[in-house]
Amino acid sequence: MPRPPKQLQALFVVVTLLLLTPSLAFSLIIDDSQSVYNLSPNLEILEDSDNSIRISNFLRNPDQYPWFRVSDTVPNFGYSKSSYWFRVKLSNRHPLRTEWLLGIDYPMHDYLDIYYVHNKSILQSYHVGDRLPHEHRPIDHRNFIFPFVMENSASVEVYIRLKTEGTVKMPLYLWEEAEFIKSDQGFMLGQGFYIGSMFIMFFYNFFLFFVVRNRSYLFYIMYILCQVFAFAIWRGYGFQYLWPNWPTWNQISTIFFLGGTITFAMLFSIFFLEARRYLPRMFYLMSGISLFGLVLLLLSFVAPYSVLIKYAMYGLLITMLVNLIAGILAWRKGAHVARYYTLAWLMVASGFSLFALNYTGLIPSNFITENAGQIGSAVEVALLSMAFGSFFTEERRAKSKAQSQLLEKMREAYKAQAASTAKSEFLAKMSHEIRTPMNGVIGIAELLRETDLSKEQKRYVDTIYNSGNALLHLINDILDLSKIEAKRMDLERIAFNPHDLIEECLSVFQSKELSSNLSFYTRVAKDIPSVLIGDPTRLRQVLLNLMSNAVKFTKHGSIGIVSTIEMLENNRIEIRFQVKDTGIGISKDIQQNLFSPFTQADSSTTRRYGGTGLGLSICKELVHIMQGEIGLESEFNKGSTFWFTCRFEVGKLTDMPPDSQGPVTQPKEEHQEKLDITILVAEDNEVNRVVVKGLVNKLGSRAKFATNGMEAVAIYKVEHDQIDAVLMDCEMPEMDGYEATRAIREFELHNQLTRKPIIAVTAHAVGESRELCLQAGMDEYITKPIRLDAMRQKIKHCMQEGNSAS
């Protein structure tokens, strides 16, 4: 029997693969072959003519709607009253990368809703647009840029809803961060050169106006000014840098400056060409167009944007063509300056024609059509300035050099800002992800401590509680690494007992003695004062890091802390601390790099003992901040001695806080004041709900639970009279705590109800979190893990303030 043709064999293989792997059939594979992906040609599109479709419709049945594709490189539907949905499925096959930037390379969209969906669940959503304040954007940029995380071998669907009164277009890209920054810097440099050149021409001709006193120069510089602002708005710079918190003006200004461009371009032509003399018939047409631009400018404050933008774009196109025709006619009638004028308007008319046709969706979007207006206007300005005179060339060069220096400073500032933003987002994310499970560990341990326990059980629970708190301190200190690198770490100056501090550090690890062959000891010099003034938190962090390393690398033998005085002069003291172990030791050739970030003895160390290699680098930086030095003495298989020095002030017993000068008896829980109130708790994490329920019961209060913000708002609206306070988690699915709080405050205001205290409960440890909570309408702020005393104090404080306000 003859074999089938090779083409049929290949087709059979492809069909088989598609059938066997349906999840990848319509996925765009992201691998290491490219650093930037143009997602626009892969988009599926859905027109929502009555604006009724929501993301929940797609989560239930995404394929019941008539999705379609377009053949254009960038989908462009011109002006439309409909909403448009776009979707694309991405599959990560990159061997290393899990983080990208998703970018929409067009800043003039009114409302954009972005959803990352996996297995019919929303992983992340963003709601932005130029009708909303610029601060709503996750990344400060002129376009719409979003962080995008996709684990290895994972698939994520991206849904985008676009509703805008401007042109409907979707240039969507997926970038590696380094490639994005590189590309954006090049683009910023080009845009900076354009804007800089236009401003140079503005000032050049402004100076000429005062020299020659010709009104055409005045209208020309006003035309340049309006043109620059129009392009700055169109590129998103106006909204990003000039009026980020004024979205209404951002929309008005588009029509305002386009109307100004039409008006002053036509007035310039009338006076420059002496239209009344050379073009009597064209004069009335040009005057009418100038009046049209002025009306457009005034109507920008009252008329709908969706109507005016169409007239503005068509009026701009007509203005360029009329000016070109006027230049040709004036040249034929002997106007000497019309030669440069005609060539200049030929360039700008061609550019603006392509720009306007692209903007209205009549021609496809590409690099030429997107940038033709700027290219044409730049050439036009150059040619007309040549017509005005070349004797100011030297001044123009000097200003161009100054502008280039300014652009360089702007570029450096942008890079610094981007790096700072990325670091802040990373720290906030890590803080949330780590503190959430820590809340469960420490919270449950705290609840257990308040129950009836045997002596041995209490010792176990205390060990869990103390170790959890030590781990929490370590987490907080690691998050401070960014402050160290940015030189923003401030040391505290408080009194503490160094003897007690060393014993506390040792006690964290002594429970390991139960299941190992380790012994622990301290040798603290007796002449070390009992009161020092410095930063005990940072000293504790260094000791705990070094002790943790010693325990990790020591299976048998002993581990100890030794401290001696290095220098004592007046009330200044320098103390040498040593952490000694009998562990595996470190070879000489590795010791010199051991205090560098992410460095361990070798790769086998990471595999066998774990760790990131950050601990010693953090210790080094903290010791240097405390005006000390750090080092080690070690031999392979003979143990190690890590030492460091720190400087302190010698204090007095009266410097110690009152609760540190002697034992303070804490009241028993049963003698604490009970809070007979009902608390609405919004928390999506099941373990955290168990913790909060136990804490609320300890307060003598009652709890009602909601698993997300939307459910919390619904319960609050129905049971407002029965609820006395709200504990609101900030990050929840469907509706987060910020949005839920705004909804509750709006409900109270609309119905003239009593304002109930809302206390934020968040796992974020960065400073911006408190400000975000207060801006959303919350009254107080608790950081996970939640402490019973802290929760009692915050609730009582808020309710007392609420009663006073009432």
Side-chain angles (χ1 to χ4, degrees), residues 144-278:
F144 300 99
I145 307 298
F146 309 93
F148 184 75
V149 178
M150 183 167 51
E151 300 298 330
N152 292 327
S153 302
S155 296
V156 174
E157 293 177 276
V158 179
Y159 285 84
I160 302 174
R161 180 181 182 270
L162 170 59
K163 175 64 177 176
T164 184
E165 292 182 354
T167 183
V168 178
K169 59 193 304 186
M170 185 54 60
L172 186 65
Y173 296 89
L174 187 69
W175 298 83
E176 290 186 6
E177 183 177 356
E179 185 65 21
F180 173 79
I181 293 175
K182 178 181 176 182
S183 175
D184 196 58
Q185 288 173 353
F187 182 83
M188 286 281 287
L189 189 62
Q191 291 298 306
F193 178 80
Y194 167 77
I195 295 174
S197 300
M198 296 291 280
F199 272 110
I200 289 173
M201 292 299 102
F202 170 83
F203 289 109
Y204 170 73
N205 289 283
F206 189 75
F207 178 75
L208 283 179
F209 167 73
F210 284 100
V211 173
V212 300
R213 298 292 178 177
N214 189 317
R215 282 182 293 180
S216 61
Y217 286 91
L218 179 61
F219 294 130
Y220 182 65
I221 61 176
M222 293 303 298
Y223 161 69
I224 292 177
L225 190 64
C226 290
Q227 191 180 76
V228 168
F229 274 99
F231 273 115
I233 296 164
W234 175 58
R235 288 298 190 184
Y237 296 115
F239 197 26
Q240 183 183 11
Y241 295 110
L242 301 180
W243 43 79
N245 297 314
W246 200 359
T248 302
W249 167 248
N250 186 61
Q251 190 172 59
I252 292 173
S253 63
T254 304
I255 309 299
F256 182 90
F257 287 109
L258 286 177
T261 300
I262 295 172
T263 299
F264 292 112
M266 200 56 68
L267 288 174
F268 160 71
S269 297
I270 291 172
F271 286 91
F272 186 75
L273 295 177
E274 297 181 76
R276 185 184 291 272
R277 174 184 174 187
Y278 291 100

Side-chain angles (χ1 to χ4, degrees), residues 443-513:
I444 294 296
E446 185 172 7
L447 292 173
L448 280 173
R449 294 177 75 192
E450 303 298 333
T451 61
D452 294 329
L453 300 172
S454 67
K455 184 176 181 181
E456 184 177 10
Q457 289 172 332
K458 188 177 186 306
R459 183 156 59 90
Y460 291 154
V461 173
D462 286 344
T463 300
I464 295 173
Y465 184 77
N466 293 333
S467 298
N469 279 303
L471 178 58
L472 184 62
H473 283 301
L474 288 174
I475 293 169
N476 292 336
D477 292 336
I478 290 174
L479 291 174
D480 284 337
L481 182 61
S482 64
K483 293 183 179 179
I484 296 175
E485 293 176 347
K487 309 299 182 186
R488 293 185 298 174
M489 174 65 71
D490 297 324
L491 293 178
E492 292 182 314
R493 289 189 72 260
I494 58 177
F496 68 97
N497 188 325
H499 301 266
D500 293 345
L501 187 146
I502 292 174
E503 290 296 332
E504 290 173 9
C505 292
L506 201 67
S507 67
V508 172
F509 300 93
Q510 280 179 324
S511 61
K512 296 180 180 294
E513 209 172 4

Side-chain angles (χ1 to χ4, degrees), residues 454-692:
S454 67
K455 184 176 181 181
E456 184 177 10
Q457 289 172 332
K458 188 177 186 306
R459 183 156 59 90
Y460 291 154
V461 173
D462 286 344
T463 300
I464 295 173
Y465 184 77
N466 293 333
S467 298
N469 279 303
L471 178 58
L472 184 62
H473 283 301
L474 288 174
I475 293 169
N476 292 336
D477 292 336
I478 290 174
L479 291 174
D480 284 337
L481 182 61
S482 64
K483 293 183 179 179
I484 296 175
E485 293 176 347
K487 309 299 182 186
R488 293 185 298 174
M489 174 65 71
D490 297 324
L491 293 178
E492 292 182 314
R493 289 189 72 260
I494 58 177
F496 68 97
N497 188 325
H499 301 266
D500 293 345
L501 187 146
I502 292 174
E503 290 296 332
E504 290 173 9
C505 292
L506 201 67
S507 67
V508 172
F509 300 93
Q510 280 179 324
S511 61
K512 296 180 180 294
E513 209 172 4
L514 300 173
S515 58
S516 69
N517 297 320
L518 290 176
S519 61
F520 296 87
Y521 65 91
T522 59
R523 289 203 296 269
V524 182
K526 294 182 179 180
D527 54 349
I528 293 179
S530 59
V531 178
L532 298 177
I533 296 177
D535 193 329
T537 301
R538 302 306 170 193
L539 177 59
R540 183 185 292 107
Q541 178 181 352
V542 176
L543 286 172
L544 288 174
N545 268 334
L546 297 180
M547 284 290 294
S548 178
N549 275 350
V551 171
K552 184 188 300 183
F553 296 108
T554 305
K555 287 189 175 182
H556 306 279
S558 62
I559 298 174
I561 301 177
V562 179
S563 59
T564 56
I565 295 179
E566 286 281 291
M567 180 272 293
L568 179 59
E569 184 176 325
N570 297 328
N571 67 332
R572 304 289 297 176
I573 187 172
E574 182 175 311
I575 300 178
R576 180 184 178 92
F577 299 89
Q578 300 179 71
V579 176
K580 296 175 173 286
D581 67 66
T582 59
I584 62 176
I586 303 170
S587 60
K588 297 290 184 182
D589 56 337
I590 296 176
Q591 293 180 18
Q592 59 182 355
N593 296 323
L594 201 58
F595 291 96
S596 300
F598 307 104
T599 300
Q600 291 190 329
D602 54 39
S603 58
S604 63
T605 302
T606 303
R607 293 194 300 270
R608 185 174 180 183
Y609 298 100
T612 63
L614 270 177
L616 291 179
S617 66
I618 294 174
C619 291
K620 177 182 177 182
E621 296 297 334
L622 290 176
V623 168
H624 286 172
I625 293 174
M626 291 187 286
Q627 300 179 332
E629 299 292 334
I630 189 170
L632 76 153
E633 300 168 1
S634 179
E635 291 185 24
F636 190 64
N637 288 330
K638 292 187 178 180
S640 302
T641 298
F642 283 84
W643 60 267
F644 66 95
T645 61
C646 291
R647 295 184 180 182
F648 306 97
E649 293 182 25
V650 178
K652 302 176 182 179
L653 185 61
T654 55
D655 296 327
M656 296 288 286
D659 58 349
S660 301
Q661 297 178 14
V664 177
T665 304
Q666 296 291 339
K668 296 291 185 181
E669 179 64 34
E670 57 267 18
H671 297 142
Q672 292 277 10
E673 178 183 356
K674 299 296 183 180
L675 298 177
D676 186 18
I677 60 175
T678 301
I679 303 174
L680 172 60
V681 181
E683 172 60 65
D684 63 311
N685 185 280
E686 184 176 356
V687 175
N688 289 339
R689 288 199 296 270
V690 173
V691 172
V692 175

Side-chain angles (χ1 to χ4, degrees), residues 214-412:
N214 189 317
R215 282 182 293 180
S216 61
Y217 286 91
L218 179 61
F219 294 130
Y220 182 65
I221 61 176
M222 293 303 298
Y223 161 69
I224 292 177
L225 190 64
C226 290
Q227 191 180 76
V228 168
F229 274 99
F231 273 115
I233 296 164
W234 175 58
R235 288 298 190 184
Y237 296 115
F239 197 26
Q240 183 183 11
Y241 295 110
L242 301 180
W243 43 79
N245 297 314
W246 200 359
T248 302
W249 167 248
N250 186 61
Q251 190 172 59
I252 292 173
S253 63
T254 304
I255 309 299
F256 182 90
F257 287 109
L258 286 177
T261 300
I262 295 172
T263 299
F264 292 112
M266 200 56 68
L267 288 174
F268 160 71
S269 297
I270 291 172
F271 286 91
F272 186 75
L273 295 177
E274 297 181 76
R276 185 184 291 272
R277 174 184 174 187
Y278 291 100
L279 307 167
R281 295 182 180 179
M282 292 287 293
F283 170 77
Y284 295 102
L285 175 60
M286 297 168 75
S287 299
I289 296 174
S290 177
L291 182 61
F292 167 81
L294 180 61
V295 172
L296 201 64
L297 185 149
L298 297 175
L299 287 177
S300 64
F301 293 94
V302 293
Y305 173 87
S306 57
V307 175
L308 294 181
I309 188 62
K310 299 178 183 178
Y311 287 106
M313 296 309 297
Y314 293 129
L316 189 64
L317 183 60
I318 293 172
T319 298
M320 303 307 150
L321 295 177
V322 168
N323 278 342
L324 177 60
I325 295 172
I328 296 173
L329 294 176
W331 190 358
R332 290 182 60 184
K333 293 187 176 183
H336 179 69
V337 295
R339 291 179 299 172
Y340 291 101
Y341 175 92
T342 302
L343 184 58
W345 282 105
L346 176 62
M347 298 301 299
V348 76
S350 301
F352 271 91
S353 297
L354 291 174
F355 166 75
L357 292 173
N358 168 61
Y359 192 89
T360 54
L362 298 178
I363 60 175
S365 297
N366 53 52
F367 178 83
I368 299 297
T369 59
E370 289 283 345
N371 297 279
Q374 285 181 286
I375 295 173
S377 67
V379 175
E380 173 229 19
V381 169
L383 290 173
L384 288 176
S385 297
M386 288 174 59
F388 290 151
S390 61
F391 56 90
F392 292 107
T393 301
E394 292 301 322
E395 182 181 349
R396 180 175 60 84
R397 289 177 180 174
K399 290 183 179 181
S400 180
K401 182 179 180 181
Q403 189 68 31
S404 297
Q405 292 174 347
L406 178 61
L407 288 174
E408 182 65 24
K409 292 181 180 179
M410 290 175 60
R411 186 170 68 89
E412 293 299 327

Side-chain angles (χ1 to χ4, degrees), residues 622-801:
L622 290 176
V623 168
H624 286 172
I625 293 174
M626 291 187 286
Q627 300 179 332
E629 299 292 334
I630 189 170
L632 76 153
E633 300 168 1
S634 179
E635 291 185 24
F636 190 64
N637 288 330
K638 292 187 178 180
S640 302
T641 298
F642 283 84
W643 60 267
F644 66 95
T645 61
C646 291
R647 295 184 180 182
F648 306 97
E649 293 182 25
V650 178
K652 302 176 182 179
L653 185 61
T654 55
D655 296 327
M656 296 288 286
D659 58 349
S660 301
Q661 297 178 14
V664 177
T665 304
Q666 296 291 339
K668 296 291 185 181
E669 179 64 34
E670 57 267 18
H671 297 142
Q672 292 277 10
E673 178 183 356
K674 299 296 183 180
L675 298 177
D676 186 18
I677 60 175
T678 301
I679 303 174
L680 172 60
V681 181
E683 172 60 65
D684 63 311
N685 185 280
E686 184 176 356
V687 175
N688 289 339
R689 288 199 296 270
V690 173
V691 172
V692 175
K693 182 177 181 180
L695 295 176
V696 171
N697 290 340
K698 289 290 183 182
L699 294 176
S701 305
R702 299 166 298 281
K704 294 179 177 291
F705 287 93
T707 58
N708 56 64
M710 191 175 298
E711 187 178 332
V713 173
I715 294 175
Y716 188 86
K717 289 182 177 179
V718 175
E719 304 182 31
H720 172 268
D721 294 335
Q722 289 77 38
I723 295 172
D724 300 293
V726 181
L727 290 178
M728 183 72 72
D729 187 24
C730 292
E731 293 199 5
M732 294 180 289
E734 296 191 39
M735 178 185 288
D736 62 25
Y738 305 111
E739 189 176 350
T741 300
R742 294 188 188 97
I744 288 175
R745 294 306 185 209
E746 184 178 351
F747 171 74
E748 292 173 338
L749 184 63
H750 181 73
N751 294 278
Q752 297 182 346
L753 299 174
T754 304
R755 178 188 173 104
K756 299 297 178 69
I758 300 179
I759 302 173
V761 180
T762 177
H764 289 305
V766 294
E768 295 85 350
S769 297
R770 178 178 176 84
E771 190 63 28
L772 288 175
C773 294
L774 297 180
Q775 289 177 359
M778 301 177 186
D779 300 284
E780 262 297 352
Y781 175 99
I782 299 179
T783 303
K784 295 178 182 178
I786 306 172
R787 310 302 177 117
L788 180 61
D789 291 339
M791 187 168 76
R792 177 189 290 110
Q793 180 182 359
K794 297 286 187 180
I795 293 175
K796 290 175 66 177
H797 174 70
C798 289
M799 296 195 69
Q800 288 171 358
E801 284 194 347

